[in-house]
Amino acid sequence: MLWKDNYEIGVPQIDEQHKELFRRVESFLQVLRSQVSWEEKVQKVNETLEFMKGYVVEHFRDEEEYQKSVGYPGFEAHKQIHTGMVDYVLEFSKQYEQSNHDEQLIQQFGGKLLAWLINHVAAEDQRIANYARKKGDELK
Amino acid sequence: MKDQIFKAYFDATQKVFNLMLNISEISAHPSEDFKCDDEVDIAIGITGDLQGKVIYRFPVATSLNIVNTMSGMQFDAVDAFVTSAVSEIANIISGNVLSALSENNMDCDILPPVQCSLDDDKEYGINTSCRIDTAIGEVCLEIRLNRAA
């Protein structure tokens, strides 16, 4: 499984969204790397890409709301990382459409998405959790 | 300066391997011992107070182990997916290095990862390399930088 329990940040809504994101990416990778022909894969791949475009934006918005609610000092920098990823997904999506669904392009996208997602959740998002925990301890 | 920059790359590699691949122990060795015929070479250009590039040399076996570990799937050959995934790892390590350099008052930025060859005619004030050993294989870092004038 892609998801690891130590990726949890302790905020149920965000953790559920992360798990859903990992489930979708895992299912996407399984289709992308399956041995069936590209013609058989392309519909599922395109559906996942459409899902990602919507869900990622929704998740990033909720996560940013949470960061603001706890006064996370790294909010602006984190928001920039989100914006960079959304821009990348939209730009990639445009190129992919223009290439008439080129498989090499989507394989490149899959590799970057895998590494980006793991790093973002395992490293960047953990900073929010650490801050919230520390703040909670100080208020006790 | 050379030691400071090398330490920033080593520490960032250790941090990224730990967080992303759950590998906590890595060690540095002379690059002369790095013997590899088949590798994925990724360059990350650097601009700002330091200028040049760092080349991450991932042997094929290491590249496949990295992607297998991250995905939980079995990859048997380097292709566009694997190259892109290890390029992103190089990008993430370099991003971490920027934060360390910034703490030492060096303001730098990085360019997107590109597959590259090792050949380079330019002269560099800081030209060093090292082999890093990890539980899933070796990586060689070639650091080629100049201080901005």
Side-chain angles (χ1 to χ4, degrees), chain A residues 132-140:
Chain A
R133 252 179 245 127
K134 198 174 153 202
K135 194 176 170 187
D137 288 346
E138 283 168 5
L139 291 173
K140 277 178 191 168

Side-chain angles (χ1 to χ4, degrees), chain B residues 76-137:
Chain B
D76 298 317
V78 170
D79 60 9
F81 186 106
V82 174
T83 304
S84 175
V86 295
S87 296
E88 185 60 16
I89 296 276
N91 193 38
I92 291 165
I93 294 171
S94 299
N96 277 277
V97 170
L98 291 189
S99 310
L101 293 178
S102 163
E103 285 165 15
N104 289 298
N105 299 317
M106 277 184 274
D107 190 15
C108 300
D109 211 342
I110 52 174
L111 301 174
V114 285
Q115 248 188 304
C116 67
S117 79
L118 297 173
D119 300 335
D120 190 346
D121 295 335
K122 285 188 190 160
E123 298 259 321
Y124 295 98
I126 301 163
N127 194 340
T128 183
S129 59
C130 94
R131 186 191 93 208
I132 294 178
D133 284 5
T134 81
I136 55 169

Side-chain angles (χ1 to χ4, degrees), chain A residues 5-18:
Chain A
D5 285 342
N6 61 349
Y7 295 162
E8 284 190 356
I9 68 165
V11 180
Q13 182 198 16
I14 304 298
D15 285 333
E16 274 314 307
Q17 288 182 353
H18 280 158

Side-chain angles (χ1 to χ4, degrees), chain A residues 1-2 4 7 26 29-30 32-33 104 106-112 114-116 118-119 122-123 127, chain B residues 15-16 19-20 22 67 69-73 75 77 79-82 84-86 88-89 91-92 96:
Chain A
M1 264 183 74
L2 266 189
K4 307 273 185 301
Y7 295 162
E26 188 164 24
L29 296 185
Q30 278 164 356
L32 192 62
R33 303 304 299 182
Q104 288 299 301
I106 198 89
Q107 294 289 350
Q108 280 173 21
F109 176 76
K112 175 171 168 125
L114 171 68
W116 187 91
I118 291 175
N119 176 62
R127 290 187 192 152
Chain B
K15 182 181 169 189
V16 170
L19 283 173
M20 295 184 67
N22 202 23
V67 180
T69 304
M70 282 197 297
S71 68
M73 297 164 73
F75 287 76
D79 60 9
F81 186 106
V82 174
S84 175
V86 295
E88 185 60 16
I89 296 276
N91 193 38
I92 291 165
N96 277 277

Side-chain angles (χ1 to χ4, degrees), chain B residues 21-43:
Chain B
L21 305 166
N22 202 23
I23 292 170
S24 53
E25 287 191 23
I26 69 170
S27 54
H29 304 271
S31 61
E32 291 74 25
D33 298 338
F34 180 77
K35 303 274 185 271
C36 182
D37 296 330
D38 205 1
E39 60 195 63
V40 182
D41 297 331
I42 306 295

Side-chain angles (χ1 to χ4, degrees), chain A residues 33-102:
Chain A
R33 303 304 299 182
S34 64
Q35 296 302 312
V36 299
S37 69
W38 175 238
E39 287 68 31
E40 288 173 80
K41 291 180 200 177
V42 72
Q43 189 187 346
K44 174 80 178 166
V45 163
N46 294 350
E47 280 169 15
T48 307
L49 195 57
E50 281 308 306
F51 163 82
M52 294 290 292
K53 279 171 15 191
Y55 194 78
V56 162
V57 169
E58 185 186 328
H59 163 62
F60 285 173
R61 187 194 59 217
D62 288 346
E63 200 181 274
E64 286 162 14
E65 284 302 316
Y66 172 73
Q67 290 176 38
K68 275 201 274 190
S69 76
V70 296
Y72 179 55
F75 170 75
E76 285 300 334
H78 201 106
K79 192 175 177 187
Q80 265 188 18
I81 296 173
H82 284 171
T83 304
M85 189 55 179
V86 170
D87 289 349
Y88 168 74
V89 172
L90 294 177
E91 179 57 33
F92 165 78
S93 187
K94 206 165 99 185
Q95 271 183 34
Y96 176 62
E97 288 292 325
Q98 284 169 353
S99 74
N100 201 20
H101 304 147
D102 178 70

